[in-house]
Amino acid sequence: MLRRTLSWIGLLVLPFGVLAQQARFSASIDAKQVLVGSTFSVEFMVENSDADNFQAPNFNPFKVVSGPSQSFRSTFINGVGTRSVSFSYTLQATRVGKFTIPAATVIVKGKTMRSNPVTLEVLKGEDIAKTGAGASPQIFIQAEVDSNRVYIGQQVMIRYKIYTQVNIENYNILTEASYAGCFAQALDTYKEPVLKQVIQGKEYSTKVLRKVAIFPQQGGKIEIEPLVVQVGVPSSSSVRRGLLSSFGLERKNINSNSITLNVTSPHDHSPGDFSGAVGHFTVDYALRPNQATTDDAISITLRIRGNGDVKTIRAPELVLPSGFEVFDPKIKEEKMINATDSVRGDKIIEYLVIGHRPGQYQIKPSFTYFDPSTGTYSTVVDSFPVLITQGSGALSATGDNTLKQEDDELHPIIHNLDLHKIRKPLYQRPWYIGTFIVPLLAFLFVSWRAKRSVTQEVQVDPHAVARERLQKAKQYMDEASHKQFYEEIAYSLKEFISYKLNIPMADLSKQKITEVLRNNSVQESVIEQTIELLNRCDYALYAGIHDHTKVQNTYTDALEILTGLHHAEVG
């Protein structure tokens, strides 16, 4: 029931989560180039909001074949809900040229939003075919790279794109380059769209099959071997036997082109504080605390985020004022994360420093990286004021605490007769030990009191308790109604047996009483008297059988049975 309630709550909360996100309105197209007479699709999508009064742009000189086709989508992933509505058109190219489809408009939450314009080039197949160099294959794979001239540590994206004029039923990557001399990380391609592109007057459908981010780790030339892919295409000589059947497919192995990278070292003319970071980065420093004593350590953290290989970045050296001691830096976090179309690095470095001289200081950490897009070195500098006061420890107030050899000369031993009280470690101080002993003693005392209370309860005299209840039953002997009398007699007898034999009252059936008393070697006559008395009470209470002359005898019999059980060796 709880799970079902939470499910309904999740469904109710979903629209509010969607509306809380920022609305977006964008346009996309499924082709870059098409031939005259070919068709293509344009989609206008509103995300994270409802859409009102959608106005399509002027599609001239294209011809609208179909549309608008409206569709709705909603998803809920990892607690985040998204919702979108799209308007799709199928258009036909009518003449050669490069054209731009202007923005569409829509009203979102009372405000007018405009989509981005999209551009498409329309080509004439015959004219391009005359200038083309030879016939183009129906299927081929092209390895595309951002640039062939790169630097050590720079991120380079390689995309293996397939071009086809026939339907491809399936494909399988047979061999891939080892990317020797590089650190490589593959990215997801399932979101890569299928686009149309014209090459040498022929229209192809294209899709990125494989996308790899590489980071060169050595200079010189690096050869990237071709990618070999096996594709399955329908065979013209056989008949398909089913939608997902592999019969009737022709297998073809297709090789991509190889790639040669010319890698340059960014260290050749680098400044002295360059730590090997190549790419575009954001740098953040943090210092805490900004007030400390000569006994305390100060933490300085450096966070580096960007598109370079953060694993090869060395911790930059901290330039500190005189009197400060810095320990070896520690890598707190280092990871490479796959983004949409690149790999993003994140690295956190922590420094611990101690100021040995009281005073007001200014700490200015800096980080220098090389930006391959501009070919320049950039330095990020931050500044933090720090106040150092004298501590209570044995650290000197006139100099730092590091052992430094000023020269190689021998100096006479200087005897310092000043006596200083050495403070005991924290765990040897009386108040520290007391914080553990006092709660322990209190716990032992409470446990002892609780155990004593239980013991006192257990040591209750059951015979005295039963006799007390019999005295209460005696009060009802002279009354007209004897129901309460028999209730007290039966209850006192069962309560005594419960106390004496340590058996819960709820388990005291007549059969159980007989069994337990026999197991405790009680005389059979006493057992028979006990059961007979309980039966007498039941008859008087529930069967309505009551003899006034037997009231006194019942009381006397109960007293004798209790006395006999009390002196018997039971329990």
Side-chain angles (χ1 to χ4, degrees):
M1 183 65 183
L2 178 59
R3 184 176 301 175
R4 186 181 303 173
T5 303
L6 293 177
S7 300
W8 280 106
I9 293 174
L11 292 176
L12 293 174
V13 172
L14 173 60
F16 296 98
V18 171
L19 294 176
Q21 302 180 43
Q22 185 176 4
R24 295 187 356 177
F25 183 37
S26 60
S28 61
I29 191 170
D30 70 343
K32 294 181 179 179
Q33 297 173 319
V34 295
L35 296 177
V36 175
S38 298
T39 59
F40 59 94
S41 298
V42 178
E43 183 181 52
F44 303 92
M45 180 178 292
V46 179
E47 299 178 82
N48 305 321
S49 181
D50 296 324
D52 297 320
N53 197 22
F54 171 77
Q55 297 292 330
N58 185 356
F59 291 116
N60 287 334
F62 303 107
K63 178 183 177 181
V64 178
V65 177
S66 65
S69 176
Q70 188 173 352
S71 62
F72 299 88
R73 304 171 192 166
S74 62
T75 60
F76 194 71
I77 301 174
N78 294 331
V80 179
T82 60
R83 181 176 57 184
S84 64
V85 55
S86 62
F87 306 88
S88 302
Y89 293 84
T90 300
L91 307 179
Q92 184 181 34
T94 58
R95 69 172 189 233
V96 176
K98 193 171 186 179
F99 305 98
T100 298
I101 299 176
T105 61
V106 71
I107 296 178
V108 175
K109 298 179 182 178
K111 296 182 179 180
T112 301
M113 297 185 67
R114 299 173 62 87
S115 68
N116 56 291
V118 292
T119 302
L120 178 71
E121 186 177 11
V122 181
L123 305 174
K124 189 175 181 180
E126 296 88 4
D127 294 339
I128 297 182
K130 293 177 183 177
T131 59
S136 301
Q138 287 185 314
I139 306 175
F140 65 94
I141 296 177
Q142 185 74 23
E144 301 175 355
V145 67
D146 297 335
S147 175
N148 293 95
R149 295 188 175 274
V150 296
Y151 294 88
I152 296 176
Q154 177 184 352
Q155 181 172 178
V156 181
M157 189 65 63
I158 300 178
R159 297 174 179 86
Y160 297 97
K161 184 186 292 185
I162 189 169
Y163 295 75
T164 179
Q165 291 180 309
V166 297
N167 292 331
I168 297 177
E169 300 293 329
N170 51 53
Y171 72 91
N172 181 34
I173 297 177
L174 299 180
T175 61
E176 185 178 2
S178 61
Y179 306 105
C182 304
F183 164 70
Q185 188 160 329
L187 280 74
D188 294 329
T189 58
Y190 68 94
K191 289 186 178 180
E192 292 291 332
V194 177
L195 300 176
K196 294 179 181 179
Q197 190 170 344
V198 176
I199 299 177
Q200 294 184 354
K202 296 183 179 181
E203 190 175 75
Y204 289 86
S205 295
T206 68
K207 178 178 174 59
V208 177
L209 297 183
R210 184 74 169 166
K211 189 164 52 177
V212 182
I214 65 171
F215 300 83
Q217 295 179 330
Q218 64 185 38
K221 286 188 177 182
I222 295 180
E223 297 289 340
I224 308 295
E225 297 88 358
L227 181 77
V228 181
V229 179
Q230 184 183 78
V231 297
V233 298
S235 174
S236 58
S237 61
S238 58
V239 180
R240 289 290 306 278
R241 300 188 181 181
L243 180 62
L244 300 178
S245 173
S246 61
F247 293 101
L249 293 184
E250 182 181 353
R251 303 291 179 180
K252 293 184 178 181
N253 293 344
I254 308 172
N255 297 358
S256 72
N257 56 297
S258 61
I259 295 176
T260 301
L261 300 179
N262 296 303
V263 185
T264 305
S265 174
H267 297 271
D268 293 342
H269 305 288
S270 62
D273 58 350
F274 178 58
S275 57
V278 178
H280 183 72
F281 298 93
T282 58
V283 182
D284 297 300
Y285 275 100
L287 182 146
R288 66 179 189 278
N290 58 359
Q291 295 185 13
T293 69
T294 54
D295 301 336
D296 304 323
I298 299 174
S299 172
I300 302 176
T301 57
L302 164 63
R303 184 170 189 177
I304 308 166
R305 289 173 287 184
N307 60 358
D309 186 4
V310 296
K311 300 190 302 300
T312 61
I313 299 177
R314 302 184 304 274
E317 183 180 356
L318 280 181
V319 179
L320 300 172
S322 177
F324 277 81
E325 177 184 3
V326 59
F327 297 91
D328 292 336
K330 182 179 180 181
I331 306 299
K332 301 288 289 184
E333 186 175 321
E334 183 179 82
K335 57 185 177 181
M336 303 290 284
I337 308 169
N338 286 0
T340 303
D341 203 36
S342 64
V343 175
R344 310 293 297 178
D346 194 346
K347 187 169 189 172
I348 300 177
I349 305 172
E350 183 182 32
Y351 303 82
L352 292 179
V353 301
I354 296 179
H356 295 291
R357 297 176 180 176
Q360 184 76 38
Y361 298 94
Q362 201 76 16
I363 295 181
K364 298 181 178 181
S366 64
F367 177 78
T368 299
Y369 66 92
F370 178 75
D371 190 344
S373 62
T374 60
T376 58
Y377 296 89
S378 299
T379 301
V380 180
V381 181
D382 211 335
S383 181
F384 300 94
V386 176
L387 176 63
I388 303 296
T389 58
Q390 179 61 44
S392 58
L395 299 179
S396 173
T398 59
D400 61 24
N401 199 41
T402 56
L403 298 177
K404 298 183 179 179
Q405 188 71 27
E406 299 295 340
D407 49 48
D408 295 332
E409 297 180 4
L410 297 177
H411 300 278
I413 298 176
I414 300 176
H415 297 278
N416 187 356
L417 299 180
D418 295 335
L419 299 178
H420 299 277
K421 181 179 180 180
I422 300 177
R423 302 182 65 184
K424 293 183 178 180
L426 183 63
Y427 61 87
Q428 294 183 0
R429 299 178 187 179
W431 65 266
Y432 180 82
I433 299 174
T435 58
F436 292 93
I437 295 179
V438 172
L440 179 60
L441 293 177
F443 173 76
L444 294 176
F445 176 75
V446 172
S447 301
W448 174 77
R449 287 294 301 271
K451 185 175 181 181
R452 183 180 179 185
S453 299
V454 172
T455 303
Q456 289 177 348
E457 292 179 1
V458 174
Q459 293 178 352
V460 173
D461 184 3
H463 187 256
V465 174
R467 291 181 65 87
E468 182 179 352
R469 296 199 68 91
L470 285 179
Q471 291 298 325
K472 188 175 181 181
K474 191 176 183 179
Q475 298 176 3
Y476 300 110
M477 291 176 61
D478 299 331
E479 296 183 3
S481 175
H482 295 66
K483 180 178 181 181
Q484 291 177 319
F485 169 78
Y486 285 104
E487 286 179 348
E488 291 295 333
I489 292 294
Y491 192 87
S492 62
L493 187 58
K494 290 182 179 180
E495 187 180 33
F496 174 81
I497 297 174
S498 173
Y499 275 120
K500 188 71 174 179
L501 302 178
N502 195 23
I503 301 174
M505 287 281 289
D507 296 339
L508 284 181
S509 63
K510 296 176 184 177
Q511 181 179 358
K512 181 69 174 179
I513 293 174
T514 302
E515 178 184 350
V516 172
L517 292 179
R518 285 175 178 171
N519 292 338
N520 284 270
S521 302
V522 177
Q523 293 181 4
E524 194 68 27
S525 59
V526 176
I527 298 176
E528 291 178 355
Q529 291 177 4
T530 303
I531 300 303
E532 192 276 332
L533 181 60
L534 291 176
N535 288 334
R536 192 189 312 169
C537 294
D538 289 342
Y539 293 153
L541 290 172
Y542 306 112
I545 302 175
H546 167 59
D547 186 353
H548 179 73
T549 60
K550 293 184 178 181
V551 172
Q552 182 63 44
N553 295 336
T554 301
Y555 177 80
T556 304
D557 292 344
L559 187 60
E560 291 178 357
I561 292 172
L562 291 175
T563 303
L565 291 175
H566 176 66
H567 294 292
E569 295 296 329
V570 297

